């Protein structure tokens, strides 16, 4: 290509190479909350959205067949998905850093307590004490091969 021709095309090449000023906005609902992603350029969000959908599928308590629901129902989950393992690793980190103040195993106690109040009952203190005995994330065994909850814990 001749230098003159290249110089004549240079403005068109530079315009096509510059960053896009156009902002693209994607909105949706994931994990029960509204999500908005704003970005510039030609990014393909589909791989990231698929990753979020998979995490939501692995971590939801709304679906009876989700890995987390199965773990809570049976107390054992073999070959847990990576999203659940990563979430539990972060939960363990927070549990240890807070010296047990952050404890995700409180969930079943809170569910029971809520059900008692919704039924118009004040939770029985003796039953509450029994339920609180199962609140201890340190007792949850987590490995990539298997997650095991102590009997009675969900």
């Amino acid at each position: 290509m001749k230098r003159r021709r290249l110089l004549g095309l240079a403005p068109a090449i530079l315009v096509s190479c510059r960053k896009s000023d156009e902002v693209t906005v994607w909105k949706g609902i994931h994990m029960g909350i509204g999500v908005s992603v704003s970005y510039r350029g030609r990014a393909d969000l589909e791989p990231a959205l698929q990753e979020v959908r998979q995490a939501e599928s692995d971590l939801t308590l709304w679906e009876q067949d989700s890995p987390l629901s199965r773990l809570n129902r049976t107390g054992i989950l073999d070959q847990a998905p990576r999203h659940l393992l990563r979430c539990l690793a972060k939960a363990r980190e927070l549990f240890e850093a807070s010296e047990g103040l952050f404890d995700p195993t409180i969930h079943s106690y809170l569910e029971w307590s809520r059900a008692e109040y919704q039924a118009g009952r004040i939770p029985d203190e003796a039953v509450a004490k029994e339920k609180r005995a199962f609140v201890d994330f340190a007792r949850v065994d987590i490995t990539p091969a298997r997650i095991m909850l102590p009997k009675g814990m969900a």
Side-chain angles (χ1 to χ4, degrees), residues 121-135:
R121 297 184 296 264
I122 295 174
D124 179 82
E125 188 53 41
V127 176
K129 186 176 180 180
E130 286 176 23
K131 299 274 187 193
R132 283 193 302 269
F134 292 105
V135 179

Side-chain angles (χ1 to χ4, degrees), residues 51-122:
E51 196 68 19
V52 170
R53 284 191 286 272
Q54 186 60 54
E56 182 174 24
S57 175
D58 293 344
L59 301 172
T60 186
L61 289 172
W62 292 81
E63 300 295 330
Q64 291 299 310
D65 63 337
S66 76
L68 185 56
S69 292
R70 288 195 320 269
L71 173 62
N72 283 339
R73 187 172 52 254
T74 66
I76 295 175
L77 183 65
D78 291 323
Q79 303 302 314
R82 65 187 167 84
H83 294 106
L84 181 54
L85 289 170
R86 288 176 63 196
C87 184
L88 290 174
K90 181 53 83 173
R92 176 81 65 180
E93 183 182 316
L94 294 171
F95 173 77
E96 291 170 357
S98 70
E99 297 179 357
L101 292 176
F102 173 84
D103 191 329
T105 62
I106 191 77
H107 178 75
S108 60
Y109 174 81
L110 295 176
E111 287 290 310
W112 166 78
S113 180
R114 181 181 66 167
E116 290 295 293
Y117 284 114
Q118 285 179 337
R121 297 184 296 264
I122 295 174

Side-chain angles (χ1 to χ4, degrees), residues 15-24 39-43:
V15 167
S16 68
C17 290
R18 82 176 172 176
K19 282 204 245 179
S20 171
D21 290 332
E22 183 179 326
V23 175
T24 303
Y39 61 97
R40 295 179 192 277
R42 296 184 183 111

